Amino acid sequence: DIQMTQSPSSLSASVGDRVTITCRASQSISSYLNWYQQKPGKAPKVLIYAASSLQSGVPSRFSGSGSGTDFTLTISSLQPEDFATYYCQQSYSSPRAFGQGTKVEIK
Amino acid sequence: QVQLVESGGGVVQPGRSLRLSCAASGFTFSSYAMHWVRQAPGRGLEWVALLSYDGSNKHYADSVEGRFTISRDNSKNTLYLQMNSLRAEDTAVYYCARETGRQWPSFDYWGQGSLVTVSS
């Protein structure tokens, strides 16, 4: 089974900061990598699919990059509504494993 | 609009069974693979099970293999998760999610979640 490892597990940032979250797969997954945002008490929401494609309706300050085993989610200018937990997920094979999550908190 | 609504959660004793349902609307249910994902209190997301659009292909997480069964009734636009031999560690919010039909799949719609608590 493919394991997904995110870093960091949490971070503190200010509004306007550039934020980067990384995700590593235990084996190559090509570009089969998705990023989700989850706010407390809510279902996750897909932000990025295919490693770098922006889901319809998602602000352009979110971007994704990478292929193979190493991936990055970047928020170019953090907004108040972006404080949440972010998960990566591989869709290369089953089980469709998620990373352990990165909580983005207000500094 | 696309809607997924879970039901069937509640409090159940260890070793007992429970069946979750996920009612779909606003799209052609029979054309999409569906998943169950769970989240234990204060923990991250855990993928649970996958069912192909026609029910022919199923996959399970190791943690539920042999105890949980995913199924669907395309005539009723409903996805199910039969959970047997429940354990305390199965306590979680259970979400159903639709997998996109594109080449690079993701979960584009999710239900609101149904809380399952396994406790004596």
Side-chain angles (χ1 to χ4, degrees):
Chain A
D1 295 353
I2 299 171
Q3 313 299 322
M4 307 300 294
T5 304
Q6 281 181 242
S7 61
S9 56
S10 64
L11 64 90
S12 296
S14 300
V15 172
D17 283 354
R18 182 181 181 90
V19 169
T20 298
I21 299 168
T22 64
C23 179
R24 175 165 288 178
S26 60
Q27 66 186 72
S28 177
I29 57 171
S30 182
S31 294
Y32 288 89
L33 192 283
N34 307 311
W35 288 99
Y36 298 86
Q37 177 194 65
Q38 187 182 32
K39 296 182 179 179
K42 300 294 187 181
K45 166 189 169 184
V46 62
L47 301 174
I48 302 285
Y49 66 95
S52 60
S53 296
L54 195 66
Q55 178 75 3
S56 176
V58 173
S60 59
R61 63 181 179 273
F62 292 94
S63 64
S65 64
S67 67
T69 61
D70 293 310
F71 302 88
T72 299
L73 173 70
T74 299
I75 309 172
S76 60
S77 177
L78 198 65
Q79 297 302 300
E81 59 268 31
D82 300 337
F83 292 95
T85 301
Y86 294 84
Y87 296 92
C88 63
Q89 180 212 24
Q90 65 86 10
S91 56
Y92 182 81
S93 65
S94 286
R96 299 270 206 268
F98 291 90
Q100 78 276 20
T102 296
K103 187 174 184 178
V104 177
E105 299 175 299
I106 302 172
K107 181 183 282 186
Chain B
Q1 73 281 20
V2 172
Q3 276 199 308
L4 298 171
V5 179
E6 298 97 342
S7 60
V11 180
V12 61
Q13 293 179 329
R16 303 298 291 267
S17 299
L18 203 61
R19 188 179 82 160
L20 301 181
S21 300
C22 170
S25 60
F27 66 102
T28 304
F29 179 70
S30 59
S31 296
Y32 289 84
M34 298 293 295
H35 297 254
W36 288 99
V37 176
R38 69 184 181 183
Q39 187 168 37
R43 305 295 296 273
L45 301 172
E46 179 187 14
W47 177 84
V48 173
L50 150 71
L51 184 59
S52 60
Y53 71 98
D54 60 357
S56 63
N57 189 23
K58 302 179 184 183
H59 290 274
Y60 297 94
D62 288 346
S63 58
V64 307
E65 179 85 57
R67 300 187 299 122
F68 289 13
T69 302
I70 188 171
S71 63
R72 65 194 298 160
D73 185 337
N74 285 343
S75 68
K76 295 182 178 179
N77 292 339
T78 302
L79 177 73
Y80 302 101
L81 185 67
Q82 177 67 43
M83 304 183 292
N84 298 333
S85 303
L86 282 162
R87 306 167 180 167
E89 55 265 36
D90 295 319
T91 294
V93 173
Y94 285 74
Y95 297 99
C96 60
R98 186 182 86 164
E99 180 174 290
T100 61
R102 56 195 171 201
Q103 177 188 1
W104 310 93
S106 64
F107 298 173
D108 61 347
Y109 286 95
W110 297 64
Q112 84 286 356
S114 183
L115 176 62
V116 173
T117 302
V118 183
S119 173
S120 54

